[in-house]
Amino acid sequence: MLSIVLAEDNLLVREGVRGVLSADPELKVVAACADADELRLAIRQFNPDVVVTDIHMPPGLTDEGIQVARELRRDRPGIGVVVLSSRDDPQHALDLLEHGSAGRAYLLKERVAEPGQLRHAVNEVAAGRSVIDPQVVENLVRAGSRPASSPLSRLTPRELEVLGEMAQGRTNGAIALRLYLTVRGVERHINALFAKLGLSEEQDAHHRVRAVLLYLSEH
């Protein structure tokens, strides 16, 4: 059974999400929080398998859910995070995956009406995998003005392999060890695939994440 800490400041939404998750006998909501401070306390108390959180919560109503996800990546990387948002803003997805996609999911709140989608995301992040809402990926790709045909078809098998490792949140050094390459060799492959995906001019903080999102949208 997977233990879950839920965070959502809207009572009706919070109870709705709790009901969806609790309907699965393999999932147990151990705490339901109304703000980011309660969420941090519940994480310390219960050490859950997964956190399901809204993006905007008190006290600041900015990106508290993303902030908690970053803290967990640093301090408790084994905890999966599902972020729920009422807006299909690709920037939030970029921020969520900035330090790796493993164990992270970004879903629109409308998916709560499709219980299988939310429960699938919980199970995926608990297993260290990723889920990105298709609408968010579509908007991100459209924002980049990419051609209709898949840009991934331009990559060599080795470049696809490197991109797949990036999608697991691995560093260049870790990719080098797994693929029996030098770090310089990994860097060359990454620069090449960025160029082929039209990301060479992107800001450094985002082009790696954009490449991973594109990969995840087709795998």
Side-chain angles (χ1 to χ4, degrees):
M1 179 177 289
L2 296 177
S3 60
I4 300 168
V5 167
L6 167 65
E8 163 63 57
D9 63 311
N10 184 296
L11 175 61
L12 292 178
V13 175
R14 184 167 68 248
E15 292 307 307
V17 174
R18 189 211 294 260
V20 167
L21 295 172
S22 298
D24 188 327
E26 298 300 318
L27 305 177
K28 182 178 182 180
V29 178
V30 296
C33 311
D35 59 49
D37 293 334
E38 285 185 20
L39 173 58
R40 291 183 175 96
L41 286 173
I43 290 170
R44 288 197 292 271
Q45 179 179 355
F46 294 101
N47 191 32
D49 298 300
V50 175
V51 168
V52 177
T53 179
D54 188 13
I55 286 184
H56 308 292
M57 290 183 294
L61 293 175
T62 55
D63 64 345
E64 285 77 12
I66 301 291
Q67 293 174 30
V68 171
R70 288 184 183 133
E71 293 164 9
L72 291 175
R73 175 72 75 197
R74 182 189 67 229
D75 302 328
R76 301 185 185 214
I79 297 179
V81 180
V82 178
V83 171
L84 301 176
S85 176
S86 58
R87 297 184 301 171
D88 56 349
D89 185 349
Q91 185 60 49
H92 285 318
L94 291 171
D95 292 341
L96 177 65
L97 303 184
E98 183 178 1
H99 299 294
S101 59
R104 295 293 179 267
Y106 184 96
L107 292 182
L108 298 180
K109 285 187 179 179
E110 63 194 55
R111 304 300 179 198
V112 176
E114 307 167 20
Q117 294 277 348
L118 179 57
R119 294 197 289 261
H120 169 72
V122 167
N123 282 286
E124 287 294 288
V125 300
R129 294 186 287 267
S130 304
V131 178
I132 306 298
D133 196 287
Q135 183 62 48
V136 175
V137 174
E138 180 180 336
N139 287 350
L140 181 63
V141 173
R142 186 186 302 122
S145 302
R146 308 198 197 289
S149 60
S150 172
L152 297 182
S153 64
R154 306 169 189 165
L155 305 186
T156 67
R158 188 53 131 180
E159 289 163 355
L160 276 172
E161 199 171 15
V162 169
L163 182 53
E165 295 294 323
M166 291 165 58
Q168 295 300 314
R170 295 191 173 95
T171 64
N172 291 0
I175 294 172
L177 288 173
R178 285 180 59 85
L179 300 184
Y180 303 100
L181 296 169
T182 65
V183 173
R184 289 285 299 276
V186 171
E187 291 171 350
R188 284 194 295 270
H189 285 303
I190 290 175
N191 289 335
L193 70 88
F194 282 161
K196 291 178 181 179
L197 296 178
L199 300 173
S200 296
E201 302 304 319
E202 296 281 351
Q203 295 180 7
D204 288 345
H206 288 158
H207 56 194
R208 190 178 183 104
V209 179
R210 287 181 182 272
V212 166
L213 281 170
L214 186 58
Y215 178 87
L216 292 173
S217 72
E218 300 189 19
H219 289 77

